[in-house]
Amino acid sequence: MKIRLSSALALLLGCSVPAFANPVTNLGPILFTPVALFAETFIVATLLSKLGFRYSKVFFAWLFITLATYGVMNLAIGFLGIDPSRSNILSSLKPLLFAEALIVLAEAGIMMLMSRSKRFRDSDTRFTWRSALMVSLIGNLVSFGISLLASFIFIPAGGLPLPSDHVRM
């Protein structure tokens, strides 16, 4: 089954429903979730291409994997009862980081499986668990960082005191 670029982008943009996997609030999910997921896909595909993978094959496969792990992350966060959009971002950070660590491990495992397939590889260079973990970690750090930045940019009204709040009238 071939995935067309327009279909993949439509799917990616369709995932901008309120995001609990990445700690984004208010406008953040609509604006930054597709950016964060696409950035992760781009970084992972680029890094893997430097390690002997075929960029075009890996990019589209990884876009699908990123969307799948994003959905699993949303389910896990919902199961744990964490709602970063309604709670203090910092109090949600510890369980979110734990869940992200599990996703990094799962994605590294998927990379190891992909490394065994000639469909995704250009060369027979050795691909190790360490490489898989590093690529997965870097990709998820980029995604999580974009989302975390978005949550601090789009803090709900009344979430942080503004300098004008301290002025007495």
Side-chain angles (χ1 to χ4, degrees), residues 6-16 63-64 67:
S6 59
S7 301
L9 289 175
L11 185 61
L12 181 63
L13 293 173
C15 283
S16 60
L63 181 59
F64 175 76
L67 292 171

Side-chain angles (χ1 to χ4, degrees), residues 8-9 11-17 19 21-22 29 31-45 59 62-71 73-74 100 103 107 139-140 142-144 146-147:
L9 289 175
L11 185 61
L12 181 63
L13 293 173
C15 283
S16 60
V17 296
N22 291 322
L31 300 176
F32 285 94
T33 297
V35 172
L37 297 176
F38 186 79
E40 178 181 343
T41 301
F42 174 76
I43 293 293
V44 167
F59 181 85
W62 205 258
L63 181 59
F64 175 76
I65 291 164
T66 299
L67 292 171
T69 57
Y70 172 76
M73 182 73 140
N74 279 332
E100 281 285 348
I103 293 295
E107 288 181 350
N140 279 281
V142 167
S143 174
F144 194 80
I146 290 170
S147 300

Side-chain angles (χ1 to χ4, degrees), residues 2 12 17 20 63 92 97 114 153 162 169:
K2 291 186 177 184
L12 181 63
V17 296
F20 301 122
L63 181 59
S92 301
L97 288 175
M114 289 172 67
I153 291 172
L162 299 173
M169 299 269 214

Side-chain angles (χ1 to χ4, degrees), residues 83-101:
D83 184 355
S85 67
R86 293 193 179 129
S87 63
N88 181 347
I89 296 298
L90 296 178
S91 68
S92 301
L93 201 54
K94 189 175 180 180
L96 286 171
L97 288 175
F98 176 74
E100 281 285 348

Side-chain angles (χ1 to χ4, degrees), residues 1-3 25 29 35 50 55 86 90 103 120 146 154:
M1 178 174 92
K2 291 186 177 184
I3 299 175
T25 59
V35 172
K50 304 289 185 201
Y55 181 85
R86 293 193 179 129
L90 296 178
I103 293 295
F120 296 107
I146 290 170
F154 292 100

Side-chain angles (χ1 to χ4, degrees), residues 99-114:
E100 281 285 348
L102 294 177
I103 293 295
V104 166
L105 289 172
E107 288 181 350
I110 293 168
M111 284 179 207
M112 290 304 294
L113 291 173
M114 289 172 67

